[in-house]
Every structure is written in C-alpha cells, then in structure tokens.
Amino acid sequence: MFEIITDIILILILPFLFIGVINKTKAFWGGRKGPSILQSFYDCIRLFKKGQVISNTASFVFCMYPFVVLGTTFFAALLVPFAFSTAIININGGFILFAYVLGLGKFMSLIGALDVGSSFEGMGASREAAFSAMVEPAFFIVMASLAAMTGNFSFGSISSLMTHAGSLGYLMIILAAITFFIIILVEGCRVPVDDPNTHLELTMIHEVMILDNSGADLAMLTYSSALKMVIFASLIANVILPDDLFFTHSLIYYLLIVFVIALLVGTLESAIARLRMSRVLDFIFIMSSIGLTILALVAVSLFS
Amino acid sequence: MEDTLVLFFAFTMLYMSVASRLKSSIKMLCLQGLLLFLIFNQLSAHVETFNYIFLAFETLVIKMLVIPIFIWKIAKKNETFTDTEPSMPRFYSLVIATLILFFGFIFAAISRHHLLVTNPIPFGISISTIILSLFFITVRKKILTAIIGYIMMENGIFLLSLSIEKEMPLVVNAGVLLDLFIAVFVLGFLVHRIDRTFDKDTMDVLVQLKDSENDD
Amino acid sequence: MYLFLIGVCFILLGGIASILARDERKGFVFLLFYGTGAFVSLAISLRSLIFSYRYGCSFEMGFPAGTLSLVFDPLSAFFVTLIIVMGFIGVLYGASYLKSYHNKGYGLTSHYLFLGIFFSSLILLPVIRNAFFFIIVWEFMSLSSFFLVIFESKKREVLSAGINYLVTMHISVAFLIIGFVILSSISGSYNFSSFESVLKGNRYLADAVFVILFLGFGIKAGFVPFHFWLPKAHPAAPSHISGVMSGLMIKIGIYGILRVILMIEKPSFEMAYFLLVISVFTMLYGIFNASAQKDIKRLLAYSSIENIGIIGIGISVGMLGIVYENGTVAVLGFAGALFHLLNHAIFKELLFFCAGSVYSKTHTRNSEKLGGLIKKMPYTGSLFLLGSMSICALPPLNGFISEFLIFMGLLNGLKIHIMNILIIFPIVMAALAFAGTMAMLTFTKAFGITFLGMPRSQEAEHVEGDVSPEMIAPKVILGIMIILLGLLPQAVLPVITNVATQFCTQINGYILSYFVMNMLWTLSICLFGLLLVILFACGLKELYLKRKNVQKYKTWDCGYQAGNTRMQYSSSSYSSLFTDTFENALHKKTSQRTPNGVFPQRGYLKFKIYDNLELYILKPIVKVINNFFSKFIWIQSGKTQIYILYGFLFLILSIGGLFFFTYR
C-alpha cells in the first residue's frame, strides 16, 4: 500500500525534476547558471492560470486531444514498475497494453496536430509518425526476448533478468538499457533526434506539433512528454536493479539511477549535434538491431 | 568478459555499414585493433612469451597504428574524404547488416551443439564479420573503402582463429601473416604512387584492366 | 433446420419482389423481406451458436452430387450469424445510399435482384457439406457480386475493374474445383465427411490439398501474391457493396481455409509455417501500400489486405499450437483470428460507409481535394475517427482485444522450447507492432487530411451539411458495437472460444476457455480504468476553464499573410518521409513541371503509385499470354459463314470420330 502511494507521488513529481536536471546539466556544460530545478513546475502553474487561444480551423478534436494524451500517459505510468519492482497494475502481457496505450496518445497527438491546418504541424506530425513507426518493433523484440528468457510475461520479467540469465545476463541488461535509453531520446525528442529548444525547419518534430496549444493544454502536454521520459528511465532502472532489495534501498537506488540518466541525457544533448534527417531513421533502426542482438543472445543462452 | 568485447566488435561492423565518412571507417579499424588485443588477452590463458609478444605487437602496432595511418595518408593525398553513393540505399545496407549479424549469432547458437566449438559467440560473430565485409566490398564504390573492407575481413579471420585456438594454435600465426601481406600491399600503394595512374578512384576504373575481346 | 432454409428463401424472395416495386420503394421492400428472413434464420443460428446445438438435415440429390447435408457446427454458426447481422446493416445503409441513384437509369432492379441472390448464397455457404453444391453456390455468390460491383458501369474504369474481378474469381474457382475433384476422386463421394476420413491418415495428400485449396480460397480472401483484384474492385463498387465485400465476402475465403484445416485434423508444421510466412508478408505489404495511397477507398482496400494478413497470422499461430500440442497457444491463436474477423467486419464496414457518405456529398474520393469536413459533417467525421482508432488496435476499442489475443498466443508460444519458435515468434510480434504503427500513420493520414484542417478545393468547400439520418443510423449502430465489444469482450468470448476449441479436439477446451476469460476480465477492468482516467482528465479541464477566457484567432502562421489552403500538408507529403525510406519497394511515377524564372507561374507535380507486385509479376504474365494468343486472332474473322463452316467441320469430325471409335 505504501509502495503504491510512493509510486503515485513519484509519477506526479519526478517529470518536473527530470526536466529540471536536464536543463541544469545543459546550462552547466554551457558555462551558465541555468534555470532552477523546479522551473518547469513554476511554468506549469503559470500556464494553468492563463486562458487559451484556439485557432479558427480547429474542431473538437483539437480541444480534446491534450486530455487524452495526459490520461493515456498517466495510465501507462501505472502499468510500469517505478521505484519498486512491481507496477501498480501488474497484468500478464502488460507491455502490449502499455505500448498500445502510448499508441493511443500518439494517435491523438498526430490528428490534433493536423487539425490546425498549418503546414508546420503537418510537418511535425509526418515526421513523428515515421519515427515512432520504427520504435515499436524494437521495443517488442526486446520485451519478447526478455519474456522468453525469464518465462514471465509481465513487466516483472525485466527485474528478474539477472537471476534467470546466467553468464550472458549482464550483457542483456546492458543492451536492454541502451535500447530503452535510445527510446528516451526519441520519445522525449532530445538531441540527436530532435532539438527541443528551437522550432526551425530542421528540427521540427515534436515541439512543432504543439505549436498552437496554449494555456492549460500546453502544461498538460509538457508534463506528458516529461512523464514518458521518466517512464522509460524507470524501465532502465528496473532492468539494472535486482528485484529483492529492501524497501528504502530500492527507492534510493532508483532515484540515483534516474538522476544519472537525466545527467546523461543533458550531457549528450550538449555534446553531440542533431543528426541529419535521413540519418535519424538509421539511428532509430539501430535500436532494432540491438533488439535482435538481445534475441540472439537469448537464443544462445537458452539452447546451449 | 570476452563476450562483451566480441559484441562491441560486432557493433563496430554495424557502425561501418552506416558510416559514409572515411575517417570514421578508419577510426573503427583502430577500435577493432584494440578490441582484438583485449580479446586475445582474455581468450588465450596459456601462451608462450614469444607468441604473446608477436601477437600483441601485431594487433597493437600494425592493426591499430600502422595500417590506419597509411590509409589516412593515401586518403589525404587523393583528397577523398567521403564515400560516394553506394549501390543500394544506406538504410537497406543497414537492414542487411543487421540480418547478417543476427544470423551469425544464430549460427553461434547452433554450433554449440553440433560443432563442439569452445567459444560459440566469437565463432559466430567472426563468420558474420567475414560475410559482412564481403558485402561491403560488393556494395561500396571507392577503392579505399574496398581496402578497408578487406582489412575487416582479415580481422574477422583473426577472430575466427582465436575462437578455435585451443585446437589449432598455429592457425593464429597464419592469420597474422595475412595482415603482413596487406601492410605490404598498402605500403606499395603509397610508395609507388600507383594511384596517380588512375584519375578517379572508384572501383569502375578497375574495369580498364580487362583484356579486350578482339585481341590478336 | 427447415426454418433456416425458409429464412434464406425469404431473402431470395426479397430480391425478386423488389423487381415489382418502384424505384423509391425498392429499398424498403427488400429490407422488409430481408428483415423477416434474417430474423428467422438468425434465431436458428444464434441458438446453435450459443447453446451448441448441432442442427442438420440432408437431402438426397441423385447421381452426381450424392447426399446434400447441411450441418450447423460452431464454425458455421459463427459465420452465418456474422453474415446475417453485418449484411443487415449493410443493406440498411445501402437502401439510403442508393437514394441518390433513383430513376436515373442505373439499373436498380437488377441490383436488388442480385443483392438478394448474393446474400442468400453467402448465408447458405457455411452450412453446405457437399463439394458439388458448395461450388455451385460459390459460383452464384461470385457472379452476383460481379454484377453488384459494376453498378456504375457507365464509367469505364468501373467496368474494367469488374471484369478483372470476374476473371480472378474464376481462376480461384478453378483451383477450388481441382482441389475438390482430387479429394472426391480419392474418397469416392462429394461429402466433406468422406474427405475427412481420407485426409486423416495421408500427410502428403493433406499438404498438397491444403496448398491447392489455399490458392483458391486465398485469391478470394486477398492474400498477397493474389490480391490484385482487391484494390481495383473496392473503389469501383458502390460503398455499401464495398463494405459488405470487405467485411463479409473476403471472410468466406477465410472460412474455406478454416474448413480445410478442420478436415485435416492435425496439420503439419510445414503448412503452418507456409501460412505464417504468407500472412506476415501480406500484412506488411498491405499496410505499406495503404500508407502511400491518396484515394480513400483504395487505402481502405489495402488495409483490408493487411487485416487478412493479421487473421492469417492468428490462424497459423493456432495451427502451430496444435502441431506442438500446446493448447493455450492453439486456443489463443484461433480465438484471436476469429475475433479479429468479427472486429474487422464491423470497423471496415463503418469506414467504408463513412467514405461512401463523403463521396455522396463531395463526389470525389481523392483525399487531397478534401479537408475540413469535420465541421460540416460532424457525425460522419466522428464515426470515421472511431473506426480509424479501432482499426489501429487502440484501447479501449475492439481492435485492441483481438490483436491482444494474437499477441498473447505468440507470447505463450515462447514457452515451447524449440529454437525455430524462439526466433520466429518475437520477429512476428515485431512485424505485428510495425504494421500497427504503419496503420497509425495511414489512418491519421486518412482521417486528418480528409476531415481536418481547411478545405483544399471547391468540392470540399461546398458541402452543406451532413448526410441524412438514415445513412448515419447504421454507422452509429456499428460504432456502438465497437465500443461495447472493446469494453466488454467477455460477452462474445465464450462463443468464440467455443469455435476455437473445435479445432483442438485432442486438447481439453474448458480449462483453456476459463484461462482466456480470466485474462479478458483483467484486461477489460484495465480498459475501464483507462476510460475513467481520461474522463477524469476531461473533468479537470471543465473545472479549470470555466473561469478563463478562451479566445479564437487564426492559426499561427509565422507572420506570413498570404497563405492559402493548398499550403497545408497533403496526403502524399504526409507519408512521403516514411515511404521514401523504402523507395525501391514502391513504384512511383512522378511527372512535374517546376516554375522557373522570376515571376510566379503555373507548375504541377503528379504522382502515380503502382502496385509493385502487379507491375512486376502480373503484367509480364498477361503480356506473354496476350502475345501468344494474338497469333490465333485470325480464327475470329467476324464473318458468319466462316463460323457456320467451323460448326459444319466440327459436326463431320465428331460423327466420323464416333463411327471410327465405336466400330472397332
């Protein structure tokens, strides 16, 4: 019971802190002092106090879609294990439900972007649709391989990997962590996939889809995208940590790993440039290659 | 530990399939040399000192320093820094590289039962490296990239000989001699300025070497 | 059972009776007869489906055919119920859709007549257990569907699409006849039960017959190397016929394949892998081509091909479960396939009917000319959105449940400790996920470009209002079914697992259906939870925005004042980033004239997307056949006297031959 409450508090608070740490890291590498860690929290409060401007072309789809995105991302967060090795809602085949619930959010954001009738959002929607098409197969291959390895079809399989895997286990853990990290970069629209700071034509993918949203809508969308990053960061944390830790140790290690992941994302964003658009698809496909490698390692360790 | 290193080796091959700048391919060659040294350290526990020094010298010095520096010098002289359009779109070559790597692994899994190999993962990856480098030589257009592909094939053969080393320790030394051959070849290219004879440096010009049909 | 036959005859009578009515009354008369007939037959088939009665009757038909037995087993009952219910909704929509074609010389009489023949033969097909009559009724169905497709035969491309369809259907019947003739000559009679006893022992015969009959049924279903008729026939047909064809007629092909699997009780794993490979390829090819289309109905036709691939994957997973004796996998695979069949009938009919409404208002199917329709046609638009969301298998709608079942079948298959399965199943799961995201790209394109944004041309601007309530009502019924089946699949699942366990007779069915029901209960609780969370978020909005001001202004355009509606993204540009990565897989012919010079000029850019397999496989074969047969074109000289000469020669040869061969 206590774990559920802690998890819900983490779901509500961590996304803001995550973005805060990333921005602080970028500022550090840029030699600046940077915004405070709680800045995105203050931003959300400020946005909630404002009104809204809605475009003339928009229909009910546009007014409705931020809530669907918020609802689906929040529900997806309930399906994933956070600080403790079991999720709040732990069902068999959970990762399929998880992937498709996130897909519902993505569908609504794509049509919400097309609703406005401007070519900016259309460009963002077209690119986002193409990139997210490549992410799903990689995620499914990784989860299916882990399920085959551990015999557990829910998200509990990722925590119990070390105990089942034997000699190749740590290798699978590292590769799975790398895959989830690349998914963070894609879903959270960080460099090298997209640049969250600018809206130039070169980098219009995610930020430009929410160009016409204002007020409370914008706050909800920012929170949802940060929550998606935190979800995948907790997946990495759960892959690395074993599942039989004591309660407080588990929480502390989890927060430490999420903090390190935020530092890594910020450092990566300051260190490398955004890839050329045609290269981004190659980069996303490499995730599938890594997934296939995990599958092959599972095959080797199960049949020898 | 050697499984991680071999996996890293496989990923350098994957990176080669996407890279189009010559400098990144050469960096991958250096990285492969370093990895082979570390793998060789892990795999062979009991080797005589002379063998050890010979192989260490070979991997560290020749594979990591000498050959990449030679190739970089040739590249700077010809001023070719990028690979021109390969024969198939880059995305497809990435997909095919992934598939070949995957089948190398599956081959490794099968070989544990039927072929009684001591180390299946280096064995499987070395087979896929050899096939992948042949694929690169076929697909890419510049001669320099073809030479780099050949060197990678040799790295694959070296890895193969390392993985079956317990049975045939002499094969390792034989693999090393292949490398000496390529070093001499590249040196010859550099010294005798053969490159000046050809204006362009794509593989198509090698067609000129063919005998003409109506020769009397 | 005789009651059932009376119901079917009523439907046939409806077609004939509508000849007598005037144009405006035809629809009503047909609907009346169909309704009564359907009610009667539905009572019988529902009783058989829910309570597992096996109704049957048989007629002695004399020399060639032998005994004609009509039996209701769970598989037949499922298909009959599906066809009756979905057909009723289709006819309901059709009656109001055809209102704009009254008294314009379109041949409504023959249309309704053939509609009656089509539905009565379609309903009769799943119960027939005699190969001779099966082929006869199948032919009735194919021919009447041809006449239904060429309803607007005044347009040339409709006629050529119809003839393409007719020829392909006859090739499929040829394969069916070959398969059934082989079986009946070995077993001695035409009954399916005697086929069963022949096929049980003989593995090679079973494989060969499966392949031949799969070719026949597969052409009807639309599996990939034989799918060429689908993208032509569905746009050409009127919308209610497209919906019924895509929702029901394709599924009869799947019924045939399932019946063959049931006859071969223990399939071999070569058959299962064969079906799996073809299904995965069908699915990926179908959705990839769909993402490149701009004609709404052609896009929906290719998406039907994709869904047939998904159903095929479910069937092959079930077959693999039977081969490797894993009951869970078998039941999950078949249950997923059958449920997806039901779901696809529902949402594909909904999508086709919405596309038909759009066409009836704007007279164009080209989505690049439309836009902004959701404000003028809100009901059609929102129902199209519902249909698109469920075809992309998004929770909490019904498409998700069937794909979830297939995924769970694949996951449970990982417990089978064999290397092939371990490698193939995760890759099939990844392919399913990939097709799902490609479907999301396709349907956001179809919905977004057609309905959202600003109108891109005059046709879209001059739409006054939504279609009449009679056209909206069937779509609303389908929409309610989608939502209900998504949230409460447990209602329909006992029936479906009943049908699925019919396939695995060696494995205990009851424990498995209990396990599937358990899983679905947890799933539907989760989906209710999802709905609650979303509604809660909406409620939060209402609370917050009551006091804030909401201002309406034009879309942010970065300061550019002279934009027009053509500057939005079009459907080709939306999917171009994705399809250009795989540029060799799609054959695109571009023609353009770019303006050059200083001042603005006219320019254009035209795309034409060809079906790749059709271009490289079918067209060369057709060209070779044409070249060969054009050498014999002198036989058709056109003069009557030459033809009489041919007849005279034939008479002499046959009488002479008769004398020669009998007087030995």
Side-chain angles (χ1 to χ4, degrees), chain B residues 5-56:
Chain B
L5 294 168
V6 171
L7 209 60
F8 211 14
F9 186 86
F11 286 149
T12 60
M13 289 303 294
L14 202 64
Y15 186 77
M16 248 290 283
S17 69
V18 208
S20 61
R21 277 184 302 164
L22 211 57
K23 188 147 196 195
S24 24
S25 309
I26 297 179
K27 275 195 234 176
M28 286 299 121
L29 272 187
C30 300
L31 195 58
Q32 281 185 355
L34 182 65
L35 284 172
L36 281 175
F37 172 67
L38 292 171
I39 295 175
F40 154 69
N41 247 343
Q42 293 285 117
L43 275 183
S44 50
H46 51 280
V47 206
E48 308 99 40
T49 331
F50 172 68
N51 230 354
Y52 183 83
I53 293 181
F54 177 57
L55 284 175

Coordinates of all heavy atoms in Angstrom, one line a residue, chain B residues 5-56:
Chain B
L5 N 33.4 -7.9 -25.3 CA 34.3 -7.3 -26.3 C 33.9 -7.8 -27.7 O 33.9 -7.0 -28.6 CB 35.7 -7.8 -26.0 CG 36.2 -7.2 -24.6 CD1 37.5 -7.9 -24.3 CD2 36.5 -5.7 -24.8
V6 N 33.5 -9.1 -27.8 CA 33.2 -9.5 -29.2 C 31.9 -8.8 -29.6 O 31.8 -8.5 -30.8 CB 33.0 -11.1 -29.1 CG1 32.4 -11.5 -30.4 CG2 34.3 -11.7 -28.9
L7 N 31.0 -8.6 -28.7 CA 29.8 -7.9 -29.1 C 30.1 -6.5 -29.5 O 29.5 -5.9 -30.5 CB 28.8 -7.8 -27.9 CG 27.4 -7.8 -28.2 CD1 27.0 -9.0 -29.0 CD2 26.6 -7.7 -26.9
F8 N 31.0 -5.8 -28.8 CA 31.4 -4.5 -29.2 C 32.0 -4.5 -30.6 O 31.8 -3.6 -31.4 CB 32.5 -4.0 -28.2 CG 32.5 -2.6 -28.0 CD1 31.4 -1.8 -28.4 CD2 33.5 -1.9 -27.3 CE1 31.4 -0.4 -28.2 CE2 33.5 -0.6 -27.1 CZ 32.5 0.2 -27.5
F9 N 32.8 -5.6 -30.9 CA 33.4 -5.7 -32.2 C 32.3 -5.8 -33.3 O 32.4 -5.2 -34.3 CB 34.2 -7.0 -32.2 CG 35.0 -7.3 -33.4 CD1 36.3 -6.7 -33.6 CD2 34.5 -8.1 -34.5 CE1 37.0 -7.0 -34.7 CE2 35.2 -8.3 -35.6 CZ 36.5 -7.8 -35.7
A10 N 31.2 -6.6 -33.0 CA 30.1 -6.7 -33.9 C 29.5 -5.3 -34.1 O 29.1 -5.0 -35.3 CB 29.1 -7.7 -33.4
F11 N 29.4 -4.5 -33.1 CA 28.7 -3.2 -33.3 C 29.6 -2.3 -34.1 O 29.1 -1.4 -34.7 CB 28.4 -2.6 -31.9 CG 27.2 -3.3 -31.3 CD1 27.1 -3.3 -29.9 CD2 26.2 -3.8 -32.0 CE1 26.0 -3.9 -29.3 CE2 25.1 -4.4 -31.5 CZ 25.0 -4.5 -30.1
T12 N 30.9 -2.4 -34.0 CA 31.7 -1.6 -34.9 C 31.5 -1.9 -36.4 O 31.4 -1.0 -37.2 CB 33.2 -1.8 -34.6 OG1 33.6 -3.1 -34.9 CG2 33.6 -1.4 -33.3
M13 N 31.2 -3.2 -36.7 CA 30.9 -3.6 -38.0 C 29.5 -2.9 -38.4 O 29.3 -2.5 -39.5 CB 30.8 -5.1 -38.2 CG 32.1 -5.8 -38.1 SD 33.2 -5.2 -39.4 CE 32.4 -5.7 -40.8
L14 N 28.6 -2.9 -37.5 CA 27.3 -2.3 -37.7 C 27.4 -0.8 -38.0 O 26.8 -0.3 -38.9 CB 26.4 -2.5 -36.5 CG 24.9 -2.5 -36.8 CD1 24.5 -3.6 -37.7 CD2 24.2 -2.6 -35.4
Y15 N 28.3 -0.2 -37.2 CA 28.5 1.3 -37.5 C 29.2 1.5 -38.8 O 28.8 2.5 -39.5 CB 29.5 1.8 -36.4 CG 29.6 3.3 -36.4 CD1 28.6 4.1 -35.9 CD2 30.8 3.9 -36.9 CE1 28.8 5.5 -36.0 CE2 30.9 5.2 -37.0 CZ 29.9 6.0 -36.5 OH 30.1 7.4 -36.6
M16 N 30.0 0.6 -39.3 CA 30.6 0.7 -40.6 C 29.6 0.7 -41.7 O 29.8 1.4 -42.7 CB 31.6 -0.5 -40.8 CG 33.0 -0.1 -40.9 SD 33.4 0.9 -42.3 CE 33.5 -0.4 -43.6
S17 N 28.5 0.0 -41.5 CA 27.5 -0.1 -42.6 C 26.8 1.3 -42.7 O 26.2 1.5 -43.8 CB 26.5 -1.2 -42.3 OG 25.7 -0.8 -41.2
V18 N 26.8 2.1 -41.7 CA 26.1 3.4 -41.8 C 27.0 4.5 -42.1 O 26.6 5.6 -42.6 CB 25.3 3.7 -40.5 CG1 24.1 4.6 -40.8 CG2 24.9 2.5 -39.8
A19 N 28.3 4.3 -41.8 CA 29.2 5.5 -41.9 C 29.5 5.8 -43.3 O 29.7 4.9 -44.2 CB 30.5 5.1 -41.2
S20 N 29.6 7.0 -43.7 CA 29.9 7.4 -45.0 C 31.2 8.2 -45.1 O 31.8 8.4 -46.1 CB 28.8 8.1 -45.7 OG 28.5 9.3 -45.1
R21 N 31.7 8.7 -43.9 CA 33.0 9.4 -44.0 C 34.1 8.4 -43.8 O 34.0 7.4 -43.1 CB 33.0 10.4 -42.8 CG 32.3 11.7 -43.1 CD 32.5 12.6 -42.0 NE 32.0 12.1 -40.8 CZ 32.3 12.6 -39.6 NH1 33.1 13.6 -39.5 NH2 31.8 12.0 -38.5
L22 N 35.2 8.7 -44.5 CA 36.3 7.7 -44.5 C 37.0 7.7 -43.1 O 37.4 6.7 -42.6 CB 37.3 8.1 -45.6 CG 38.1 7.0 -46.2 CD1 37.1 6.0 -46.7 CD2 39.0 7.6 -47.2
K23 N 37.0 8.9 -42.5 CA 37.6 9.0 -41.2 C 37.0 8.1 -40.1 O 37.7 7.5 -39.3 CB 37.7 10.4 -40.7 CG 38.5 10.6 -39.5 CD 39.2 12.0 -39.5 CE 40.3 11.9 -38.4 NZ 40.8 13.2 -38.1
S24 N 35.6 8.0 -40.1 CA 35.0 7.2 -39.1 C 35.3 5.7 -39.4 O 35.4 4.9 -38.5 CB 33.5 7.4 -39.1 OG 33.0 7.9 -40.2
S25 N 35.4 5.3 -40.7 CA 35.7 3.9 -41.0 C 37.1 3.6 -40.5 O 37.4 2.6 -39.9 CB 35.7 3.7 -42.5 OG 34.5 4.1 -43.0
I26 N 38.1 4.6 -40.6 CA 39.4 4.3 -40.2 C 39.5 4.3 -38.6 O 40.2 3.4 -38.0 CB 40.4 5.4 -40.7 CG1 40.4 5.3 -42.2 CG2 41.7 5.3 -40.1 CD1 41.3 6.4 -42.8
K27 N 38.6 5.1 -38.0 CA 38.6 5.0 -36.5 C 38.1 3.7 -36.1 O 38.5 3.1 -35.1 CB 37.7 6.1 -36.0 CG 38.3 7.4 -35.8 CD 37.5 8.4 -34.9 CE 37.3 9.7 -35.7 NZ 36.4 10.6 -35.0
M28 N 37.1 3.1 -36.8 CA 36.6 1.8 -36.5 C 37.7 0.8 -36.6 O 37.7 -0.2 -35.8 CB 35.4 1.4 -37.4 CG 34.1 2.1 -37.1 SD 33.6 1.8 -35.5 CE 33.5 3.4 -34.8
L29 N 38.6 0.9 -37.6 CA 39.7 0.0 -37.8 C 40.6 0.0 -36.5 O 41.0 -1.0 -36.0 CB 40.5 0.4 -39.0 CG 40.1 -0.2 -40.3 CD1 41.1 0.1 -41.4 CD2 40.0 -1.7 -40.2
C30 N 40.9 1.2 -36.1 CA 41.7 1.3 -34.9 C 41.0 0.6 -33.7 O 41.7 -0.1 -32.9 CB 42.0 2.8 -34.5 SG 42.8 3.7 -35.7
L31 N 39.7 0.9 -33.6 CA 39.0 0.4 -32.5 C 39.0 -1.2 -32.5 O 39.1 -1.9 -31.5 CB 37.6 0.9 -32.5 CG 36.7 0.7 -31.3 CD1 37.4 1.4 -30.1 CD2 35.4 1.3 -31.5
Q32 N 38.9 -1.7 -33.8 CA 38.9 -3.1 -33.9 C 40.2 -3.7 -33.5 O 40.3 -4.8 -32.9 CB 38.5 -3.5 -35.3 CG 37.1 -3.4 -35.6 CD 36.7 -3.9 -37.0 OE1 37.6 -4.2 -37.8 NE2 35.4 -3.9 -37.3
G33 N 41.3 -3.0 -33.8 CA 42.6 -3.5 -33.4 C 42.7 -3.6 -31.9 O 43.2 -4.6 -31.4
L34 N 42.3 -2.5 -31.3 CA 42.3 -2.5 -29.8 C 41.5 -3.7 -29.2 O 41.9 -4.4 -28.3 CB 41.8 -1.2 -29.3 CG 41.9 -1.0 -27.8 CD1 43.3 -1.0 -27.3 CD2 41.3 0.3 -27.4
L35 N 40.3 -3.8 -29.7 CA 39.4 -4.9 -29.2 C 40.0 -6.2 -29.4 O 39.9 -7.1 -28.6 CB 38.1 -4.8 -29.9 CG 37.2 -3.7 -29.5 CD1 35.9 -3.6 -30.4 CD2 36.7 -3.9 -28.1
L36 N 40.7 -6.4 -30.6 CA 41.3 -7.7 -30.8 C 42.4 -8.0 -29.8 O 42.5 -9.2 -29.4 CB 41.8 -7.8 -32.3 CG 40.7 -8.1 -33.3 CD1 41.3 -8.0 -34.7 CD2 40.1 -9.4 -33.1
F37 N 43.1 -7.0 -29.5 CA 44.2 -7.2 -28.5 C 43.5 -7.6 -27.2 O 44.0 -8.6 -26.5 CB 45.0 -5.9 -28.3 CG 45.9 -5.9 -27.2 CD1 47.0 -6.8 -27.3 CD2 45.8 -5.2 -26.1 CE1 47.9 -6.9 -26.2 CE2 46.7 -5.2 -25.0 CZ 47.7 -6.1 -25.1
L38 N 42.5 -6.9 -26.7 CA 41.9 -7.3 -25.5 C 41.3 -8.7 -25.5 O 41.4 -9.5 -24.6 CB 40.8 -6.3 -25.1 CG 41.3 -4.9 -24.8 CD1 40.2 -3.9 -24.7 CD2 42.1 -4.9 -23.5
I39 N 40.6 -9.0 -26.7 CA 40.0 -10.4 -26.8 C 41.1 -11.4 -26.7 O 40.9 -12.4 -26.0 CB 39.2 -10.5 -28.1 CG1 38.0 -9.5 -28.1 CG2 38.7 -11.9 -28.3 CD1 37.3 -9.5 -29.4
F40 N 42.2 -11.2 -27.4 CA 43.3 -12.1 -27.4 C 43.8 -12.3 -26.0 O 44.1 -13.5 -25.6 CB 44.3 -11.6 -28.4 CG 45.7 -12.1 -28.2 CD1 46.0 -13.4 -28.3 CD2 46.6 -11.2 -27.7 CE1 47.2 -13.9 -28.1 CE2 47.9 -11.7 -27.5 CZ 48.2 -13.0 -27.7
N41 N 43.9 -11.2 -25.3 CA 44.3 -11.4 -23.9 C 43.4 -12.3 -23.1 O 43.9 -13.1 -22.3 CB 44.3 -10.0 -23.2 CG 45.6 -9.5 -22.9 OD1 46.6 -10.3 -22.9 ND2 45.8 -8.2 -22.7
Q42 N 42.1 -12.1 -23.2 CA 41.1 -12.9 -22.5 C 41.1 -14.3 -22.8 O 41.0 -15.2 -22.0 CB 39.7 -12.3 -22.7 CG 39.5 -10.9 -22.1 CD 39.4 -11.0 -20.6 OE1 40.2 -10.4 -19.9 NE2 38.4 -11.7 -20.2
L43 N 41.2 -14.6 -24.2 CA 40.9 -15.9 -24.6 C 42.0 -16.9 -24.4 O 41.9 -18.0 -24.1 CB 40.6 -15.9 -26.1 CG 39.1 -15.6 -26.5 CD1 38.9 -15.7 -27.9 CD2 38.2 -16.6 -25.8
S44 N 43.3 -16.4 -24.6 CA 44.4 -17.4 -24.5 C 45.0 -17.2 -23.2 O 45.7 -16.2 -22.9 CB 45.3 -17.1 -25.6 OG 45.7 -15.8 -25.6
A45 N 44.8 -18.2 -22.3 CA 45.4 -18.0 -20.9 C 46.8 -18.4 -20.9 O 47.6 -17.8 -20.2 CB 44.6 -18.9 -20.0
H46 N 47.1 -19.5 -21.6 CA 48.5 -20.0 -21.5 C 49.2 -20.0 -22.9 O 49.0 -20.8 -23.7 CB 48.4 -21.4 -21.0 CG 47.5 -22.3 -21.8 ND1 46.1 -22.3 -21.6 CD2 47.7 -23.2 -22.8 CE1 45.6 -23.1 -22.4 NE2 46.5 -23.7 -23.2
V47 N 50.0 -19.0 -23.1 CA 50.7 -18.9 -24.4 C 52.1 -18.7 -24.0 O 52.5 -18.1 -23.0 CB 50.2 -17.7 -25.3 CG1 50.5 -18.0 -26.7 CG2 48.8 -17.4 -25.0
E48 N 53.0 -19.1 -24.9 CA 54.4 -18.9 -24.7 C 54.7 -17.4 -24.8 O 54.0 -16.7 -25.5 CB 55.3 -19.6 -25.6 CG 55.1 -21.1 -25.7 CD 54.2 -21.4 -26.8 OE1 54.4 -20.8 -27.9 OE2 53.2 -22.2 -26.7
T49 N 55.8 -16.9 -24.3 CA 56.0 -15.5 -24.3 C 56.2 -15.0 -25.7 O 55.8 -13.9 -26.0 CB 57.3 -15.2 -23.4 OG1 57.4 -16.2 -22.4 CG2 57.2 -13.8 -22.8
F50 N 57.0 -15.8 -26.5 CA 57.3 -15.3 -27.8 C 56.0 -15.0 -28.7 O 55.8 -14.0 -29.3 CB 58.2 -16.2 -28.6 CG 58.4 -15.8 -30.0 CD1 59.1 -14.7 -30.3 CD2 57.8 -16.6 -31.0 CE1 59.2 -14.3 -31.6 CE2 58.0 -16.2 -32.3 CZ 58.7 -15.1 -32.6
N51 N 55.1 -16.1 -28.6 CA 53.8 -16.0 -29.3 C 53.1 -14.7 -28.9 O 52.5 -14.0 -29.7 CB 53.0 -17.2 -29.0 CG 52.5 -17.8 -30.3 OD1 52.7 -17.2 -31.4 ND2 51.9 -19.0 -30.2
Y52 N 53.1 -14.6 -27.5 CA 52.3 -13.5 -27.0 C 52.8 -12.1 -27.5 O 52.1 -11.3 -27.9 CB 52.4 -13.6 -25.4 CG 51.6 -12.5 -24.7 CD1 50.2 -12.7 -24.5 CD2 52.2 -11.4 -24.3 CE1 49.5 -11.7 -23.9 CE2 51.4 -10.4 -23.6 CZ 50.1 -10.6 -23.4 OH 49.4 -9.6 -22.8
I53 N 54.1 -12.0 -27.4 CA 54.7 -10.7 -27.8 C 54.4 -10.5 -29.3 O 54.1 -9.3 -29.7 CB 56.2 -10.6 -27.6 CG1 56.4 -10.7 -26.1 CG2 56.8 -9.4 -28.2 CD1 57.9 -10.6 -25.7
F54 N 54.6 -11.5 -30.1 CA 54.3 -11.4 -31.5 C 52.9 -11.0 -31.8 O 52.7 -10.0 -32.6 CB 54.6 -12.8 -32.2 CG 54.4 -12.8 -33.7 CD1 55.0 -11.9 -34.5 CD2 53.5 -13.7 -34.2 CE1 54.8 -11.9 -35.9 CE2 53.3 -13.7 -35.6 CZ 53.9 -12.8 -36.4
L55 N 51.9 -11.6 -31.2 CA 50.5 -11.3 -31.5 C 50.2 -9.9 -30.9 O 49.5 -9.1 -31.5 CB 49.6 -12.3 -30.9 CG 49.6 -13.6 -31.7 CD1 48.7 -14.7 -31.0 CD2 49.0 -13.4 -33.0
A56 N 50.7 -9.6 -29.8 CA 50.5 -8.3 -29.2 C 51.0 -7.2 -30.1 O 50.3 -6.2 -30.3 CB 51.1 -8.2 -27.8

